[in-house]
Amino acid sequence: MNIVILAAGQGKRMHSNLPKVLHEVAGKALLAHVIDAARSLTPQTICVVYGHGGDALRASIDAPDLLWALQEPQLGTGHAVQQAMPQLSDAQTTLVLYGDVPLIQAATLQSLVHAARDALAILTVDLINPGGYGRIVRNAAGEVLRIVEQKDATAEERAICEVNSGIIALPTARLAEWLRGLSNDNAQQEYYLTDVVGMAVIAGVPIRTVSAQGEWEVLGVNSKVQLAELERIAQRRTADRLLEQGVRLADPARLDVRGELLCGRDVFIDVNCVFEGKVVLDEAVEIGPCCVLKNASIGAGTRLAAFTHIEDAIVGPDGVIGPFARLRPGTELAAGVHVGNFVELKNTKVAAQSKANHLAYIGDAIIGSRVNIGAGTITCNYDGANKFKTVIEDDAFIGSDTQLVAPVTVGRGATLGAGTTLTRDAPPDTLTLSRARQVSITGWKRPQKQKK
Ligand code: UD1
Ligand code: CA
């Protein structure tokens, strides 16, 4: 089949410099949702009709499997499809989608295309408030006669609650012929794609209708209000899917997945967590409230306490992370690692059972097993121009408030005394400290406030 995606509309009511179809729902551009639904039908052709100022759009979403047709000026949905016709194969069915209707489901499209064999198939939905939509006009026998746009409809037609979603499928050769016959003699002086329905009736082509799964599936985005509504619908659907898979959510209304979230058995997610990119939570992972995870994988049984922030990092099993921990790109933690409050790790590998429980910055480091990193430890990995590596070997103990001036290595089993500024390697199994000797000065007086 051919798929045509209409995306030339201006989107004035978005009040934004970004083309409408590039606004995101669930972390993905509206048009990308539609393209993904289209791809899942494995069509021969996907042609996107884009409009003025659309070069940015085209550049940001282009892929080898997409064809593009410029519609300039925009004279209506029929005119838009006409721009795509030279790129479509005549022998096949054409499915028309809207770039601003992102929640359309592949299964629904499949039934629509199936219904369009030797027929014209329209995806319709019954609305309590059908205002603004094209109405499906049927005869007494229930056969579709035509679609009438709101602005051209009589009062009687406006009372019809079955509306056109805009998504139709039909034989391409007939479509080409009907499009040539369109006129813009209507209230909006546009070439309406919907007028092909009346033409099909006259030509004796059967008209079939397929119902959408719900109103949500065919909702379009014209404003930020509608964008926000669709975001909540999309999030609720994701939450329901996770619940059905057995994930426990403290509140399905307070979860945001802006990408792909894969969960093992017995995962628990507390409120107000945000997941971006691809996130994998292994069995029995527990995520505390207000955590943000982007492109991360969390091993089985690990607990993330509140306000943990993880990006481009891998956490092993049985870890205890947070609250207020920050794992930055390139962090890899092995099993049983503890990372506590206000600890920041970047480009650092930590082997099993090591702990950094309070207030530390560890960057560009390799940390062995069973290492204890005291409160206030800092790797001085940057000299203002270059970054250097810190190595801390197995069973080392790093005293509180230590600075490790990289490049530097702490040997296996070494101990650093609190407050050490380490500028040379610390030998294994030895206490190293750089503290000045403590003195007590008798007779010393505190400064007094001077009299004016
Ligand atoms: C259209 C349908 C209406 C249907 C409604 C569903 C027609 C004449 N009317 O109305 O029956 O109920 O959708 O939402 O088809 N577009 C272009 N080029 C154009 C005009 C539109 O690419 O010249 C694209 C828009 O970007 C959008 C889609 O087509 O993605 C629909 O356009 P819009 O103006 O929103 O159609 P409606 O008037 O709402
Ligand atoms: Ca319109």
Side-chain angles (χ1 to χ4, degrees), residues 13 76-77 132 149 151 188 190 192 222:
R13 279 183 286 156
T77 49
E149 292 304 299
K151 287 183 179 146
Q188 302 186 85
E190 286 181 8
Y192 291 164
N222 296 298

Side-chain angles (χ1 to χ4, degrees), residues 6 8-9 71 74-77 80 98 100 133-134 149 164-165 192 194:
L6 303 189
Q71 185 199 17
Q74 283 114 47
L75 303 178
T77 49
Y98 285 3
D100 56 3
Y133 286 88
E149 292 304 299
N164 172 29
S165 71
Y192 291 164
T194 45

Side-chain angles (χ1 to χ4, degrees), residues 411-432:
R412 181 180 288 263
T415 299
L416 302 189
T420 294
T421 300
L422 192 74
T423 53
R424 283 171 286 130
D425 291 353
D429 300 317
T430 307
L431 171 66
T432 298

Side-chain angles (χ1 to χ4, degrees), residues 448-452:
Q448 299 293 309
K449 203 163 190 124
Q450 288 178 358
K451 288 194 183 92
K452 295 211 178 106

